[in-house]
Amino acid sequence: MAEVDSSQIAGLIEELSGASRRRRQEVAHTIALTARANPDVVAPHVDALIDALYRPEAQTRWEVLDALSMVAASEPERVEGAFEGAEASLFDDGSAMVRLAAFVFLARLGASSAERSDEVWPLLDEAIQCYHGDAEYRDMLVVLLELARGNASDKTKKALAARVSFDAENSSGYLKALSNEILQALAM
């Protein structure tokens, strides 16, 4: 499936509630691709996307979280209702992709305002501690850089600096490099 336009999206959104697991996954993938190209096309359907966060298959959830992350970058107030579903997904035992997608969503939501950063930081901080060194951790650090450059509160920025400072001083490779890049962004 390829990216779709606004005239086709409503039908696809409806299929997120369909009985076929495979079709829900295909549709969610198309919606995520569409959101990457143009978040405004999927933004009017946020409520249905939030509902889809509770589908049993991991791929549907991570693709929907990806779409919501794209909307969060431009219209964070529209996706605040996804917080609870993203929190549940952040600690999904069965899928690193779901966990990473939830982390990205929450970090982008947090980068949008001081208040939102304070709300999401405890979850992000816990996830950093849980998944430090896991395969998805590098991507988590990349999105933390977005949080550091965003509109996070001073409180969140200080906590983020404290969390990555050990790796900035004592690690090597990408851990050291990305942790230092986050600290530099926070110093601006």
Side-chain angles (χ1 to χ4, degrees), residues 9-59:
I9 198 74
L12 292 175
I13 293 289
E14 198 170 298
E15 289 189 69
L16 285 173
S17 298
S20 169
R21 173 198 57 79
R22 184 72 198 135
R23 183 66 181 150
R24 288 192 305 263
Q25 290 172 312
E26 291 169 352
V27 167
H29 180 69
T30 300
I31 291 168
L33 290 175
T34 302
R36 282 186 204 111
N38 186 358
D40 295 337
V41 173
V42 299
H45 305 281
V46 163
D47 289 342
L49 294 175
I50 292 169
D51 182 62
L53 291 176
Y54 299 96
R55 298 300 176 269
E57 63 279 358
Q59 184 179 351

Side-chain angles (χ1 to χ4, degrees), residues 72-84:
S74 58
E75 296 184 70
E77 65 285 344
R78 227 177 177 156
V79 297
E80 287 179 320
F83 184 88
E84 188 177 300

Side-chain angles (χ1 to χ4, degrees), residues 131-185:
Y131 307 124
H132 187 279
D134 286 4
E136 67 271 19
Y137 191 67
R138 182 187 188 291
D139 294 328
M140 292 169 73
L141 286 172
V142 170
V143 79
L144 285 174
L145 186 56
E146 289 181 38
L147 179 65
R149 291 178 175 155
N151 295 318
S153 71
D154 288 341
K155 176 183 169 185
T156 295
K157 287 182 177 186
K158 286 178 186 171
L160 175 55
R163 177 58 58 210
V164 299
S165 63
F166 180 85
D167 284 338
E169 294 172 19
N170 300 297
S171 291
S172 61
Y174 80 84
L175 276 174
K176 183 177 189 84
L178 286 171
S179 296
N180 275 308
E181 199 171 340
I182 291 167
L183 290 176
Q184 289 170 3

